[in-house]
Amino acid sequence: MSTALSPEQRDLRDAVADLMTRRSPEQEVRRLMAAEPGYDPAVWAELAAMGLLGLTVPDEFGGSAAGASELAVVSEQLGRALLCAPYIATSVLTPYLLLALADTAECAEALPRIAAGELVTTVAFAEPGAARPPELPSTVASQAAGGWLLTGEKTYVLDALCAERFYIAAQSPEGVGIFAADREAAGLAVTPLTTIDQTRKQGQLTLKETPARLIGSPGAGGAALDEALDRAAVALVAEQAGGAMHVTQMAADYARSRYQFGRAIGSFQAVKHMCVDMLLDAQSALSSARHVAAAFDASDPDRFADLALAQAFCSDTFVSTSAANIQVHGGIGFTWEHPAHLYLRRARTDAQIFGDPAWHRERYLRLREEM
Amino acid sequence: MDIRTEVRQWLAQNWDPAMDRAEWSRRVFEAGWAVPSWEPQWWGRGLSDAESRIVATEFAAVGAKGAGQDRSDLMACTLHDLGTDEQKRRLIPPSIRNETRWCLLYSEPGAGSDLAGLRTRADRAGDDWIVNGQKVWTSFAQKADYGLLVARTDWDVPKHQGISFFIFPMRQAGVEIRPIHQITGESEFNEVFITDARVPHANLVGKPGGGWPVLQLALAYERRLMGDLARTSRASRDLKPDADSLIGMARSAGKLGDSHIRQDIARVEAYAAVNRWNTRRAKETIDRAEAATLMAIGKIAMSRILHETARVQTDIVGPESMLAGPDNPVGDAVTFRTLNAYFTSIGGGTDQIQRNIVGERVLGLPREPEPYKDTPFRDLPTG
């Protein structure tokens, strides 16, 4: 296993970077974050045409079955550009979840459509009070004559407003199961959450005896969800690293071009040292993202402990670098019109959606204690 | 025959751990293994850097000394590149045969981060220069025959232009060496007081006033050597705080259930982990700029790891950290690590100077304006 990019991975990186430059410049990010559905279907189709929506999908289901390293390479670029799209929910979390559940029928029905950009899905795992899935969901699945009925409330659901299908974690008599319900299902209501980050929209899901299909076996949901969240976290840390690298570059560029007291502010050590500390952490985040991707591709036995450290570190780093970027920019960084705050908003969200840094640090300690 | 086979065969035929050390050094020298990457007319074998490293590795594998001096003998390396033919013939062979030893006379009490502000003076007197001043942070001064000395020879030009570089004889009246008592209790370094001591003009490297570029070359060789040592020494591996030590320490101290301690342990171990992953990426990438960036931030990263590890260890052992000495080994070790962390964050360029260098060379941020760039040294304000 190697963290060095192969020629194919470099080509992939350059192609995605080029797409982001053309299709996700700041004015597009601002246009999409201000309105529903929060993404551009034409860009989504372009991502599908490039094979990026089927990156995590096996060949037999219409994807390209790329590895975690390719996913990380792509995610770095999406993170840099603050792409507004349901990428992690639909193209990363959903395929990993369905594959972990080993439900061939659902895989055959949903994954080819996801890879083709024809179906937007999300996974509803969190409930009020915590971003991580609860051990015992209060959302319950009960069996009725016609099948399963779900009742309860899910929240922090990524891209809930544009999703056409929800994969919902609910407590069944046999344990946690994953159930599929389409948007128009009876008793299913989506309420938008007012989020600080409008580039990654979230919603609340209310379920009242909503008919749903069981995916996989009824007790397999908890483990499958944990596995999917770990594998999807490889993409999230890469997005965070990409974002951290981008704001570091922004700060250094500004420090070179902004003049006060007759000199570039980057010549003042107080500013210069802030930029270097950003560089140290952003580069370290990038190394973390590349390392955990390689570790997952190699099924390295340390990959979960490494991922826990990487998730804590990349979350903290994206937040601290995007905050420092505002400080380096001074007054202009305090204005809505300047993009610096968009990154801090994204960073603060990314540091919560798959669990906060303290949760990952505690997980690391538990894994180490077991060794 | 490839170089590894050749050096193995030679060692098999010649290496004898019981041999007299001087005799061994002479054999290594005559076979060209002391400085294998140098040209044959200068005691080398004309090997590439990579081949030269293989020679050093093979010597180390059998425990034989004497190879790899084209990387470790800073005096010889500097003279090889910038000395006159006479200087090379006179000074290099005894040095790479380990018959003479050298030390570094660079820093001064008043010239640390601003090394070019040095005030040790050398004044021409016939065939000699007479040296007066004080140097500091010199390792192995007691054992050295020569000091690589930078001294001011012209006070009427800007600071970088009035410095000269000498191979200074250490064993003479007028050279007084005093060990420095460090905050850790150890004494690895010395102060060197120089009073009316002499260095022959024949030992001037480069031109009078041309010492700064010579020093830059010698410092580049020193950084390369430090990198070699950091990669190979046992000490550097010991510096990596492994999981077991912090978790184990917390367990013994009954603090493993303390969520504040648990968080801090993971935080510090993340610093150590990301540093390993940076090093890994630097090794694996084919992008030289990417590798250079990662190498450049390594020293600041190591400072943070060492200081933060010591801080968390202090939190773990609590009041034990007040205690010292052999009766209190736990507290003593924590305090040693706390204080010794400054060895890395100050030595070899402070973290602050390091950040200036990274900011300027990697991020392209402008240097501080230098208002005294064109001012003669004697007119500089001294505070």
Side-chain angles (χ1 to χ4, degrees), chain A residues 22-254:
Chain A
R22 286 186 291 109
R23 300 296 247 151
S24 185
E26 186 191 336
Q27 68 268 26
E28 273 304 288
V29 171
R30 287 182 182 273
R31 180 178 73 81
L32 293 168
M33 61 186 254
E36 297 303 329
Y39 76 104
D40 183 340
V43 175
W44 194 245
E46 217 167 321
L47 291 169
M50 286 173 72
L52 300 178
L53 301 187
L55 221 49
T56 63
V57 174
D59 301 328
E60 73 241 56
F61 300 124
S64 53
S69 298
E70 284 74 24
L71 178 63
V73 163
V74 171
S75 298
E76 270 170 46
Q77 301 304 321
L78 307 188
R80 278 175 183 271
L82 290 180
L83 175 73
C84 298
Y87 189 79
I88 282 203
T90 302
S91 287
V92 184
L93 201 46
T94 299
Y96 282 151
L97 179 64
L98 297 185
L99 293 168
L101 289 162
D103 186 319
T104 315
E106 184 68 16
C107 285
E109 197 279 328
L111 295 184
R113 294 171 63 204
I114 286 174
E118 291 161 5
L119 177 66
V120 174
T121 62
T122 190
V123 180
F125 54 87
E127 296 190 348
R132 292 292 304 188
E135 237 168 85
L136 285 176
S138 55
T139 299
V140 292
S142 51
Q143 235 163 343
W148 293 89
L149 296 177
L150 305 186
T151 297
E153 197 182 319
K154 306 304 277 192
T155 189
Y156 311 126
V157 182
L158 295 174
D159 304 302
L161 269 42
C162 61
E164 299 157 87
R165 180 174 300 168
F166 299 88
Y167 294 98
I168 302 157
Q171 187 69 29
S172 79
E174 284 104 317
V176 178
I178 301 294
F179 299 85
D182 287 347
R183 180 169 194 90
E184 53 279 1
L188 184 153
V190 178
T191 321
L193 283 170
T194 307
T195 50
I196 56 157
D197 176 22
Q198 284 297 307
T199 67
R200 182 160 265 163
K201 294 185 192 300
Q202 301 177 33
Q204 225 165 353
L205 208 56
T206 315
L207 304 154
K208 279 185 194 146
E209 302 197 332
T210 301
R213 288 177 288 117
L214 173 68
I215 310 296
S217 57
L225 195 50
D226 286 345
E227 183 186 333
L229 283 171
D230 280 348
R231 297 182 72 187
V234 171
L236 181 63
V237 295
E239 281 199 10
Q240 290 170 318
M245 289 291 288
H246 183 81
V247 293
T248 299
Q249 194 61 54
M250 273 174 82
D253 289 346
Y254 189 72

Side-chain angles (χ1 to χ4, degrees), chain A residues 1-4 10 256 263 267 269 272-273 276-277 281 283-284 287-288 291 358 361-362 364 369, chain B residues 262-263 267 269 274 277-278 280-281 284 286 304 352 355-356 359-360 363-364 366-369:
Chain A
M1 76 179 187
S2 169
T3 58
R10 287 200 298 276
R256 275 194 304 274
R263 47 197 270 213
S267 68
Q269 294 188 21
K272 186 178 287 174
H273 292 190
V276 171
D277 288 338
D281 283 338
Q283 288 285 357
S284 302
S287 297
S288 309
H291 169 83
R361 282 191 286 267
E362 177 57 30
Y364 169 79
E369 283 173 291
Chain B
R262 294 173 72 81
Q263 288 287 311
R267 211 173 261 123
E269 295 199 351
V274 300
W277 300 337
N278 279 339
R280 175 184 180 189
R281 180 155 69 96
E284 291 176 349
I286 55 160
R304 174 162 75 178
Q352 287 62 43
R355 283 183 170 86
N356 286 350
E360 287 153 21
L363 292 176
R367 293 173 60 89
E368 290 261 340

Side-chain angles (χ1 to χ4, degrees), chain B residues 319-339:
Chain B
E320 289 252 344
S321 65
M322 296 189 289
L323 308 179
D327 293 343
N328 307 291
V330 173
D332 200 73
V334 168
T335 301
F336 177 80
R337 289 197 193 100
T338 303
L339 297 174

Side-chain angles (χ1 to χ4, degrees), chain B residues 71-299:
Chain B
R71 298 182 77 83
S72 64
D73 187 330
L74 304 181
M75 182 171 97
C77 288
T78 306
L79 286 170
H80 170 265
D81 290 6
L82 296 176
T84 62
D85 286 1
E86 185 278 323
Q87 287 172 335
K88 290 188 215 186
R89 277 192 287 269
R90 177 164 53 90
L91 294 167
I92 289 178
S95 187
I96 61 180
R97 284 195 303 253
N98 292 307
E99 294 159 15
T100 60
R101 294 167 193 279
W102 47 266
C103 64
L104 304 176
L105 301 172
Y106 301 159
S107 297
E108 298 179 6
S113 295
D114 178 19
L115 191 53
L118 60 91
R119 307 184 80 83
T120 292
R121 61 185 305 141
D123 298 286
R124 186 75 191 259
D127 289 341
D128 287 345
W129 293 79
I130 296 178
V131 184
N132 281 282
Q134 183 187 346
K135 293 291 177 177
V136 74
W137 304 119
T138 300
S139 307
F140 308 115
Q142 287 92 344
K143 293 184 174 170
D145 301 286
Y146 295 103
L148 276 57
L149 170 75
V150 276
R152 189 161 304 283
T153 50
D154 188 345
W155 300 67
D156 297 314
V157 292
K159 63 181 179 183
H160 292 92
Q161 295 163 30
I163 293 168
S164 300
F165 192 103
F166 298 95
I167 307 296
F168 171 81
M170 290 291 286
R171 299 184 191 279
Q172 59 171 312
V175 176
E176 191 197 342
I177 298 159
R178 292 186 207 158
I180 296 173
H181 193 197
Q182 295 156 215
I183 57 175
T184 54
E186 299 176 316
S187 288
E188 295 154 83
F189 301 103
N190 301 279
E191 291 178 289
V192 179
F193 295 85
I194 306 172
T195 311
D196 291 332
R198 286 179 176 259
V199 53
H201 182 69
N203 283 17
L204 173 72
V205 184
K207 292 194 164 59
W212 188 253
V214 183
L215 175 66
Q216 292 312 305
L217 178 83
L219 288 173
Y221 278 122
E222 187 179 347
R223 279 192 290 269
R224 187 177 73 170
L225 176 60
M226 291 298 133
D228 288 351
L229 294 176
R231 275 190 293 277
T232 57
S233 78
R234 204 178 70 81
S236 77
R237 287 200 294 277
D238 288 348
L239 289 181
K240 277 182 202 155
D242 65 302
D244 298 333
S245 68
L246 284 177
I247 290 180
M249 195 179 229
R251 192 178 278 127
S252 332
K255 294 278 187 68
L256 200 50
D258 179 328
S259 66
H260 167 73
I261 297 284
R262 294 173 72 81
Q263 288 287 311
D264 266 358
I265 289 175
R267 211 173 261 123
V268 168
E269 295 199 351
Y271 289 146
V274 300
N275 195 43
R276 287 196 301 276
W277 300 337
N278 279 339
T279 306
R280 175 184 180 189
R281 180 155 69 96
K283 272 190 199 144
E284 291 176 349
T285 183
I286 55 160
D287 182 337
R288 293 181 68 171
E290 184 181 13
T293 297
L294 292 165
M295 298 305 281
I297 57 182
K299 185 165 183 287

